[in-house]
Amino acid sequence: MLRRQIVLSRLPYIEQMEHSECGLACLAMICGYYKKHVTLTELREEFGVSKSGMSLFHLKKISEKLDFDVKAYRGDITTVSKSALPVIVFWEQRHYVVLEKMTKKYLYIVDPASGRRRLTIDEFNTSYSGIFLSLKPNAHWRKRKKQSSWGFYIKHAFKQPKWIVLVLLFSTLLQGLGILNPMLTQWITDEVLVPKNVSFISILGYAVFMLYLFYNLNLMARGYVVTKLQKHMDHALMSHFTQHLFKLPYQFFENRSSGDLLFRANSNTFIRSVFSNRLISLMIDCMLLFFYAALLVWYIPSMGIFVILSGVVCFVILLLSTSITQRLTSKEVEAQAKVQSITAENIHNICDIKVMGLERASYDTWEKNFMQQLVATEKRNLWDTFLNVISSGYQFILPVFLLWMGSSRVIEGSVSLGTLVAFSNLASSFMAPIVSIGTAYNEVILVNNYIKRIKDVVDSRAEGSKQNVSLQKLRGKIEIKNVDFRYSPYDEYVLKNVTLTIHPGEKVAIVGSSGSGKSTLAKLILGLYRATNGEVYIDDYPLSDYDLKSVRREIGTVLQETRLFNTTIYDNIVMNQPGLSIEQAVNAAKMAEIHDEIMKLPLGYYTVVSENGINFSGGQRQRLLIARALVTEPSILILDEATSSLDSVTEKKIMERLHTLECTRVMIAHRLSTIKNADRILVMHKGTIVEQGDHLSLYQKGGHYYHLYTQQLERADENSPLIR
């Protein structure tokens, strides 16, 4: 029998933004439960996120650093029920969730990937992996207030005070004209219709027309200033978001899908729409409520109090529904982001899908997730419909009900017919802002789910960009001193105590088995990764003292991840770098042995390259990328498997041309024949440099290089491009 446990306050839901940070998200939720509100971004930047996930031991260590007393337990559901909730539960042998509360029949979990769920005991046991962490704040625990999610948007909105003031002004005028309506109705009824005073009819016609004209002009003016405000907000928000996105470190993009990032960027449009329309209307509606309430009591006191109380009841119903609204909208946003990620991934990998005949399987995966999105949207729409039925039905029946309620007073003569009709109209006007506030509040809740994703980007720390060293032209010296690197404090080291000096103009090759750390070393030289320990020096200055963008412009690079863009061949080579002419692009293409093939195309250098260069062969793509790396005449050239798709003849021609360059050259290759003529060859094994020297000395040594080289010779057949 389970022991009933219900937590004293609600656990805040924090969605994981990366595939491997469910453990950190669970910790952030439990911190929030105990009133120490920390963001997932802060935890990620302090403790890092492993690419391969986080173990229970590492999660325990992080919890202790956050001032928790932590105990790990292995046991069944009965053991879990004896611990104080909430606890972190190991789930499906690969995931973490928070067990928030339990009753005799159900267990309630909060999954950082999918939100709140209610499970039966059997459902829980199916996924529960038998281990959980119990966390309690220790004596060092300090509470911390939750930061507002809207600060980023309000800051940018108030950069346009003129347009905000104008929106408020025209909105207030429109609402003021709305107040005139019941007053005018009362006057027409009591002074024109009841006494049958025909002398005012013509004047009233002109007055109504002028009122209509003035209202429409104000409405048009408000629409104009709202459009202007939205334009300025769009520019400010998207510029800031995109600029900051480009400044984020490379590792940020390694752990997120491009589809999800696009979804976040597009969310800005919806957020500013709610801000520029709903929030401003919300401010005015709140002010109008008090004014309408005063008028209602002034017109007919007893009936006015009744309408006010009815409005309060309607508002409370809408307010109490917000927790359900938040849960449903959260699921919908998560489902939308997932579908967009899957769609973008499938389009990006369409070649693999085609060659493996996975069209049906890929469609089935997409359809399954899309159906989940449709179900989530359907549930939210049905819930919105239910809320709208309550509010709309109330607004529909209230005027008629009030006319019935006040009819006896009109017959008795205590209230005029005009007053009752005006009161009925005023009551409808009073209910409109209440419904509007409830709707706006629900939209604000929906927006919060989008803001969480936006803040994951704008709150992330930008890549360091000092400029302590004045950069003219690099000489090309690279020095790596005692460098260790790992992706997070709880990962194994990828590089261990690497020390290396590459002199200006030296041609250095790096070889080794897959996973030995070759590409990681290249990314450290480029500053795409930061060394965990030790330092990388360029021309005798620490890399961290340079403006990284300026350094990278001095380095020609082709990495395994380098891609072509959907623009012309010329643009792909020069890449918007100022001062580069078509002649320089042609020279670079000749160096890369691709010029003749470009000239055979109908549009030559102005031929448009498809996305990722799929209208070119693999070898052509690599040569275009080599041309891009050479066009600036770099001081340092880094090539990571840059010729892997080339035939041996073309590769040899390119190598001969590159050998004439005076720049420092760092080349990574699995095909060892490519690097036989290097000045120095570095052999890496399990994150360390185990051998270095020229081809002949390393071969004669009979060590790692010898074995790598002879293994390739043994695998090579008579058509192998390997030089024998």
Side-chain angles (χ1 to χ4, degrees), residues 70-269:
V70 190
K71 290 184 179 179
Y73 294 93
R74 183 184 296 275
D76 58 15
I77 192 170
T78 306
T79 309
V80 177
S81 69
K82 294 176 181 177
S83 298
L85 300 182
V87 297
I88 297 177
V89 174
F90 191 37
W91 201 248
E92 296 178 343
Q93 302 293 338
R94 58 183 175 83
H95 189 49
Y96 297 103
V97 301
V98 179
L99 177 59
E100 182 179 18
K101 63 180 179 178
M102 59 175 63
T103 63
K104 293 180 178 180
K105 291 184 178 180
Y106 298 106
L107 297 97
Y108 297 81
I109 66 166
V110 185
D111 188 333
S114 58
R116 284 183 161 79
R117 292 161 60 191
R118 187 185 74 174
L119 304 175
T120 63
I121 296 173
D122 289 338
E123 288 172 335
F124 182 87
N125 283 330
T126 300
S127 299
Y128 173 49
S129 300
I131 304 173
F132 67 94
L133 290 180
S134 176
L135 300 89
K136 283 290 182 182
N138 62 26
H140 302 290
W141 185 264
R142 295 290 181 273
K143 293 182 179 180
R144 179 178 167 187
K145 290 183 178 179
K146 187 175 182 180
Q147 296 178 343
S148 170
S149 301
W150 286 86
F152 167 68
Y153 290 92
I154 292 171
K155 179 182 70 175
H156 284 284
F158 279 98
K159 288 181 179 178
Q160 309 296 330
K162 177 180 76 173
W163 298 111
I164 289 180
V165 169
L166 286 173
V167 171
L168 284 169
L169 174 64
F170 286 115
S171 298
T172 305
L173 283 173
L174 284 171
Q175 296 294 350
L177 290 173
I179 293 171
L180 282 177
N181 193 28
M183 294 181 174
L184 189 60
T185 301
Q186 179 191 0
W187 189 84
I188 291 172
T189 304
D190 288 343
E191 303 299 328
V192 178
L193 297 179
V194 174
K196 299 180 181 179
N197 193 344
V198 295
S199 60
F200 285 110
I201 290 178
S202 297
I203 298 173
L204 273 175
Y206 290 117
V208 169
F209 176 75
M210 291 303 295
L211 183 63
Y212 167 77
L213 187 63
F214 190 60
Y215 182 85
N216 277 354
L217 287 173
N218 271 278
L219 197 61
M220 188 178 296
R222 184 186 182 278
Y224 174 79
V225 295
V226 165
T227 302
K228 283 288 186 182
L229 175 62
Q230 288 180 345
K231 174 192 168 185
H232 287 294
M233 283 188 68
D234 274 349
H235 179 263
L237 292 172
M238 286 304 297
S239 297
H240 180 89
F241 177 87
T242 307
Q243 189 177 44
H244 188 76
L245 186 68
F246 287 152
K247 290 180 179 179
L248 292 176
Y250 177 70
Q251 283 180 281
F252 178 90
F253 299 93
E254 284 188 307
N255 296 320
R256 291 165 177 79
S257 72
S258 56
D260 183 46
L261 290 174
L262 284 172
F263 179 78
R264 299 182 199 197
N266 294 333
S267 299
N268 277 304
T269 305

Side-chain angles (χ1 to χ4, degrees), residues 36 55 67 84 196 248 310 388 461 469 494 540 574 641 699:
K36 183 179 183 176
S55 70
D67 298 327
K196 299 180 181 179
L248 292 176
S310 300
N388 287 333
R461 190 179 302 158
V469 179
V494 179
D540 299 318
V574 301
E641 298 290 350
Y699 184 81

Side-chain angles (χ1 to χ4, degrees), residues 17-31:
M17 297 295 168
E18 298 179 11
H19 61 84
S20 56
E21 64 180 13
C22 53
L24 287 183
C26 289
L27 277 178
M29 286 190 270
I30 292 185
C31 283

Side-chain angles (χ1 to χ4, degrees), residues 6 71 75 117 141 156 196 202 312 396 430 472 494 503 534 555 560 587 623 643 656 712:
I6 298 179
K71 290 184 179 179
R117 292 161 60 191
W141 185 264
H156 284 284
K196 299 180 181 179
S202 297
V312 170
F396 169 76
F430 174 76
Q472 300 297 325
V494 179
H503 300 287
I555 302 175
Q560 294 179 43
N587 289 334
R623 283 178 283 162
T643 59
E656 288 172 352
Q712 285 199 10

Side-chain angles (χ1 to χ4, degrees), residues 551-563:
V551 171
R552 291 167 186 161
R553 282 195 290 267
E554 289 287 316
I555 302 175
T557 306
V558 180
L559 299 177
Q560 294 179 43
E561 297 85 355
T562 309
R563 298 288 184 270

Side-chain angles (χ1 to χ4, degrees), residues 500 502 506-510 665-667 678-682:
L500 167 68
I502 302 175
E506 188 176 10
K507 280 56 174 180
V508 173
I510 304 174
R665 197 172 81 209
V666 178
M667 187 163 183
D679 298 332
R680 184 157 44 120
I681 299 171
L682 308 176

